[in-house]
Each structure stands twice: as structure tokens, then as C-alpha cells.
Amino acid sequence: MASFTEENYLKAIYFLSRTQSAGVSTNSIAHRLDTKASSVTDMLKKLSAKKWINYQKYQGVTLTTSGQRTALLIIRKHRLWEVFMVEKLNFKWDEVHEIAEQLEHVDSTELVDRLEEFLEYPKFDPHGDPIPDREGNVFHHKDLSLADLTTGESGVVVGVKDSSSAFLQHLESMGLVLGCPVTVKATYAYDKSMLISIKHKKTHTVSVQVSRNLYIKKHLDQ
Amino acid sequence: MASFTEENYLKAIYFLSRTQSAGVSTNSIAHRLDTKASSVTDMLKKLSAKKWINYQKYQGVTLTTSGQRTALLIIRKHRLWEVFMVEKLNFKWDEVHEIAEQLEHVDSTELVDRLEEFLEYPKFDPHGDPIPDREGNVFHHKDLSLADLTTGESGVVVGVKDSSSAFLQHLESMGLVLGCPVTVKATYAYDKSMLISIKHKKTHTVSVQVSRNLYIKKHLDQ
DNA sequence: AAATATTTTTAGTCTAATCTAAAAATTAGA
DNA sequence: TCTAATTTTTAGATTAGACTAAAAATATTT
Ligand SMILES: [Mn+2]
Ligand SMILES: [Mn+2]
Ligand SMILES: [Mn+2]
Ligand SMILES: [Mn+2]
């Protein structure tokens, strides 16, 4: 059994290895968990002893199959609880992440599986992230960001890379929610900002910080 | 903010002071939390420093107003989560206590209050225990056990003193559930066992361990 | 009222997780 | 390539919570 802290390390390593192609560095983990590199080294030895990571001094780490499964089952819980809070308790999508950070550590397979059934097997959480199944399998198809579109191209918002309240509230103020159809009207090389139009709604100029954090599915299928 | 461990100590002291009239002893806390008396003494000093208990060496402890409120807000969460699991996730009443022991430590007033609303403000948990309100106020009206009834008297089961799976499953095997109308047919002085009849159902002989752990409301009101 | 038994507290250790400071290894660059 | 900067690891301390063993206080018997 993983402790609360070990679970957070496994999750951090999982997310970092999805953006970094090579092994995850000690420093990047320390930065993400807001702790010191020396603390991370200590923990890496423990996680390695428990066969959750492949660790060799100075070489960075990768998750073992068992470690990845453990991480994905925590993420499964996190996302199901987020769906519960938004769908059943009427929370807004920018209010649930912090609470889910606590709920994800509640240890009961029975509880999660029944929660999933109660929620009628949702495929995605309120931020468009896919929900892993009971075995820890998950499919990602969010490789395209708004920043990757060129002038004239259209798509629909399918997810957010940044789930912070600040970002989500900013999106909401522009009416940019999941499922929202958008078209790129112009791109400005100077600061990489974009002029976009939201179907049947307003036109906005969005910064590169916004466009890089919005996942898009191209070729509107409606 | 109370730590996970501190919360469990406050809850233990709360329950112990409901059965013991005087201050709660170090040993009784140690026994309930399955730990050593020396560990309890250490923790009592911390709880006292945080003004949650009144502690004087060798004198036993009582909760302060703040300590009692803290304990009751944890119990509120515990019982609301139990209702959620039984009412919405189709758990049985003997399956939810252990999971609620974890969920009760999730820290979010917003979450608990919205959960309470979602559950339509239940007054009692699946074991007949009252649910404290947002301020930590609660009313108990379960002072009478089946063991207190005499031959010929009737009542209805309103709660259980022991919430262990073993006891709840035993009750269920006899059809003795909440709201069940019972009549005492005979009492046997030898071992204090009782012959009881369950309305429209069977007749059973119950031991004193059972009768003392069943709360009854006398004078059937149907 | 002593003597004995029980309860509670203290003293000293241990483990998990953290930290700072210093040493070692790796990477970058002149 | 060899020196300098950066990253990572080690060494040694700290804190929360728990433990054992022993001392001190309280309670119970004779
Ligand atoms: Mn989240
Ligand atoms: Mn999410
Ligand atoms: Mn319970
Ligand atoms: Mn209960």
C-alpha cells in the first residue's frame, strides 16, 4: 500500500513523464511537488525499493508497469470524484480540483467502482480528461492545442491542459467551455496571440498562454 | 487545523465522554484507539495546547466547547457519507463504516454542506444515529435499549449502539432492522436473554449482548 | 495507615517525511 | 578537453506520532 505522500509522488512522476520524453529528473519532481531535491532523492529510493519506479542514481526515473497502474488508479479516483461534484453536487468546474486532491487518496475499490456506476460510466472528467478504467487503462487523444491551428481552421474545445481556477475562470469569462466550436480568424506573429470567434457568440483575442492550454479537436463534426 | 490523528483522538474522547460521566481516562482512550497509554499522554498535551481539551496530569480529560464542535463536525461528515453510500451507491449498512472512517477526514465545508443538500437533509444515518448540523449541534434521544424493556412491552428499533459488521449482519439474519416493531415475550434471569417477537415475522431469543446494543423507542406509534 | 496494585507520566528510541549544508556526479562551454 | 555551472546525492537535524521501559502518582487492599 502506498502512503498519501507516495501516491502524490507517483502521480507527479506520471504527469511529468507524459510531457518529458526521457526519464523524469529529480529537480522537476521537486519543483512540481514544491519540495526540495534532497527530499525527492530520499523518496525515489523508497519508491524504487517498492518496485514502483526504475531508479539509477543521477539517471532520472521512469514508472514501472506497477507504478503506472498505481498512478492511473489514483487519477481514476480523482476524475470520478470531480464528475460527482460537478454533476451531482452542482460545483463549478473550477472548484473541484483541490477537493479531488483529497478524495483521490480514499482507499476503497468498491467505493470507486460503485461511484463510477452511479455516475453512469462517464468517459471524461469536467476538464475533458479521460477517466481510466478499473485496470488503469486510459486513452489520450488530446495532442492538438488551439495554438497549433492556423488562420481559417476550426475545431471544438475538448479539454484544458491547465486546470487551475484562474485559467478556468478566465475561460468562462469568454464563454470558452468544453464542446465550444471555435474558428481562428487571425494569428499575430508579434506575440503569438490569436483572434478567434466562438460560434454564435463573441470574438476574442487570446494570448499564447491561453491557446497553448486549450485542447482542440479539428474539423468540427457537427 | 486538526491532523488526521488529532481528529481521531477528538472523536474518541467525544464518544468516551458520552458513556463515562467523569473525565475520560488515558487508558480508555488508549484502549479505544488501539495504542499505548504513553502515546495518548503525548497527544493529550498537544490537544490541550490547541485548546481542544481540558487536561491536568492524572485527572482525565474533557473536551472544550471548541473541541466538542470539532469532533461533532467530523461525526457529521462520517454520517452524511454513510447515508450517501447506502442511499445512492447501494451499499449495505454493515459495509459503510470503515470507508466513512476515511471520508470523514476530507476537509471541505462546502463539500459536506452540498452533500447534505444532495441527500435532502437526512436526520439520521443508516444506523439510526443523528446527524449534527452545520454548527455541530445534535440531539440524542436514544437512551433506552431493548434490555431495558420488561415482558409485555413493545417498541420499535431506532438505532444500534454497536455498528460493527458482525453485529449488523447478525441483526439482519434475524430481520431486526431499523424501524422494526418488536415485543418482549419473556425475559430469562439466568443469562438475561430475551424472547422477542418481530411483528409479522419470526420470534427470536436474543442474548444480552444483542439487547443492550439495540436502541428502542417505546410505545409503538403506528 | 501501610503495603500493594494500577494508572499515568517521563525518558529515551524509532520511522516517515521533511529540511539545510556540503560533497559528488554530470553537463555545458570556453 | 578541461574548467565552471548545474544537478543530484549524502550527511546530519527536525517534527509528528508511535513504541518500550522505568519512574511517579493515584487507587485499592489488607
Ligand atoms: Mn483535477
Ligand atoms: Mn480534472
Ligand atoms: Mn460509522
Ligand atoms: Mn453510522
Side-chain angles (χ1 to χ4, degrees):
Chain A
M1 255 296 299
S3 71
F4 194 100
T5 308
E6 288 168 341
E7 292 191 343
N8 284 336
Y9 270 89
L10 290 176
K11 239 185 0 148
I13 296 167
Y14 174 81
F15 287 121
L16 289 168
S17 48
R18 283 193 47 77
T19 46
Q20 295 170 201
S21 52
V24 174
S25 74
T26 301
N27 255 2
S28 63
I29 298 169
H31 188 258
R32 182 173 240 268
L33 294 178
D34 197 27
T35 186
K36 303 292 170 180
S38 55
S39 307
V40 174
T41 301
D42 280 352
M43 182 56 81
L44 294 183
K45 290 173 186 169
K46 288 180 208 165
L47 297 178
S48 178
K50 294 190 175 186
K51 314 273 189 203
W52 282 319
I53 60 171
N54 306 113
Y55 171 59
Q56 276 171 220
K57 274 191 189 180
Y58 295 101
Q59 298 316 124
V61 295
T62 54
L63 290 174
T64 61
T65 306
S66 155
Q68 181 165 75
R69 186 172 174 278
T70 304
L72 281 164
L73 290 180
I74 302 161
I75 292 164
R76 166 176 163 81
K77 287 187 277 181
H78 182 106
R79 294 180 179 164
L80 283 170
W81 281 118
E82 285 191 339
V83 173
F84 171 67
M85 287 187 274
V86 168
E87 296 292 316
K88 303 294 183 179
L89 303 189
N90 299 117
F91 276 96
K92 287 186 286 173
W93 71 336
D94 61 296
E95 298 173 321
V96 296
H97 178 77
E98 288 307 312
I99 304 175
E101 286 291 308
Q102 295 184 63
L103 287 164
E104 73 188 5
H105 300 291
V106 172
D107 177 40
S108 168
T109 306
E110 194 64 28
L111 178 65
V112 189
D113 291 352
R114 291 203 191 208
L115 180 65
E116 183 184 36
E117 184 188 2
F118 178 61
L119 298 171
E120 296 174 76
Y121 301 93
K123 292 277 161 289
F124 300 96
D125 84 358
H127 313 104
D129 291 309
I131 296 173
D133 69 16
R134 269 160 300 273
E135 274 78 43
N137 303 118
V138 70
F139 295 99
H140 295 271
H141 42 61
K142 299 193 315 187
D143 38 5
L144 196 76
S145 77
L146 177 57
D148 300 318
L149 298 196
T150 54
T151 304
E153 287 190 307
S154 295
V156 55
V157 178
V158 293
V160 291
K161 190 171 181 181
D162 172 8
S163 281
S164 71
S165 296
F167 182 54
L168 299 179
Q169 283 167 15
H170 180 52
L171 289 184
E172 208 135 356
S173 74
M174 296 188 287
L176 268 172
V177 294
L178 290 202
C180 187
V182 293
T183 304
V184 178
K185 293 296 185 189
T187 59
Y188 307 108
Y190 172 66
D191 61 356
K192 293 184 173 137
S193 65
M194 273 182 169
L195 182 68
I196 61 166
S197 75
I198 305 175
K199 201 165 192 183
H200 307 308
K201 289 196 179 170
K202 288 191 170 172
T203 291
H204 292 281
T205 303
V206 297
S207 69
V208 67
Q209 288 97 318
V210 168
S211 62
R212 280 191 183 145
N213 279 314
L214 267 184
Y215 289 115
I216 299 292
K217 190 178 166 192
K218 243 199 290 197
H219 302 309
L220 197 58
D221 51 44
Q222 50 105 5
Chain B
M1 254 295 298
S3 71
F4 195 100
T5 309
E6 287 168 341
E7 291 192 341
N8 284 335
Y9 271 89
L10 290 176
K11 241 187 355 151
I13 296 167
Y14 173 81
F15 287 120
L16 289 168
S17 47
R18 284 194 45 79
T19 47
Q20 295 170 201
S21 52
V24 174
S25 72
T26 301
N27 254 1
S28 63
I29 299 170
H31 188 257
R32 182 174 240 269
L33 294 178
D34 197 27
T35 185
K36 302 292 169 180
S38 54
S39 307
V40 174
T41 301
D42 280 352
M43 182 55 82
L44 294 183
K45 290 173 186 170
K46 287 180 208 163
L47 297 178
S48 178
K50 294 190 175 186
K51 312 273 189 203
W52 281 319
I53 61 171
N54 305 113
Y55 171 60
Q56 277 171 220
K57 274 191 190 180
Y58 296 100
Q59 297 316 124
V61 296
T62 53
L63 290 174
T64 61
T65 306
S66 154
Q68 181 164 75
R69 185 171 174 280
T70 304
L72 281 164
L73 290 179
I74 301 160
I75 292 165
R76 167 176 163 80
K77 287 187 278 180
H78 182 107
R79 293 180 180 164
L80 283 170
W81 281 117
E82 286 190 339
V83 173
F84 170 67
M85 287 187 274
V86 168
E87 295 293 316
K88 304 293 184 182
L89 303 190
N90 299 116
F91 276 95
K92 287 188 285 173
W93 71 335
D94 61 294
E95 298 173 322
V96 295
H97 178 78
E98 287 308 312
I99 304 175
E101 286 291 309
Q102 294 184 64
L103 286 164
E104 73 188 6
H105 299 291
V106 171
D107 176 40
S108 168
T109 306
E110 194 65 28
L111 177 65
V112 189
D113 292 352
R114 291 204 190 208
L115 179 65
E116 184 184 35
E117 184 188 2
F118 178 61
L119 298 172
E120 297 175 75
Y121 300 94
K123 290 279 162 289
F124 301 95
D125 84 357
H127 314 104
D129 291 310
I131 296 173
D133 69 16
R134 269 159 299 274
E135 274 77 45
N137 302 118
V138 70
F139 294 99
H140 294 272
H141 42 58
K142 301 192 314 187
D143 38 5
L144 195 76
S145 77
L146 176 58
D148 300 320
L149 298 196
T150 55
T151 304
E153 286 190 308
S154 294
V156 55
V157 178
V158 294
V160 291
K161 190 171 181 181
D162 173 9
S163 282
S164 70
S165 296
F167 182 53
L168 299 179
Q169 283 167 15
H170 181 52
L171 289 184
E172 209 135 356
S173 74
M174 296 186 288
L176 267 173
V177 294
L178 290 202
C180 187
V182 292
T183 303
V184 178
K185 293 297 184 187
T187 59
Y188 307 108
Y190 172 66
D191 61 356
K192 293 181 174 139
S193 66
M194 275 183 167
L195 183 68
I196 61 167
S197 75
I198 306 175
K199 200 165 192 182
H200 306 310
K201 288 194 180 171
K202 288 193 171 170
T203 291
H204 292 281
T205 302
V206 296
S207 68
V208 68
Q209 289 97 317
V210 168
S211 62
R212 281 193 182 142
N213 279 314
L214 266 183
Y215 289 116
I216 299 292
K217 191 177 165 194
K218 242 198 293 198
H219 303 309
L220 196 60
D221 49 42
Q222 50 102 12

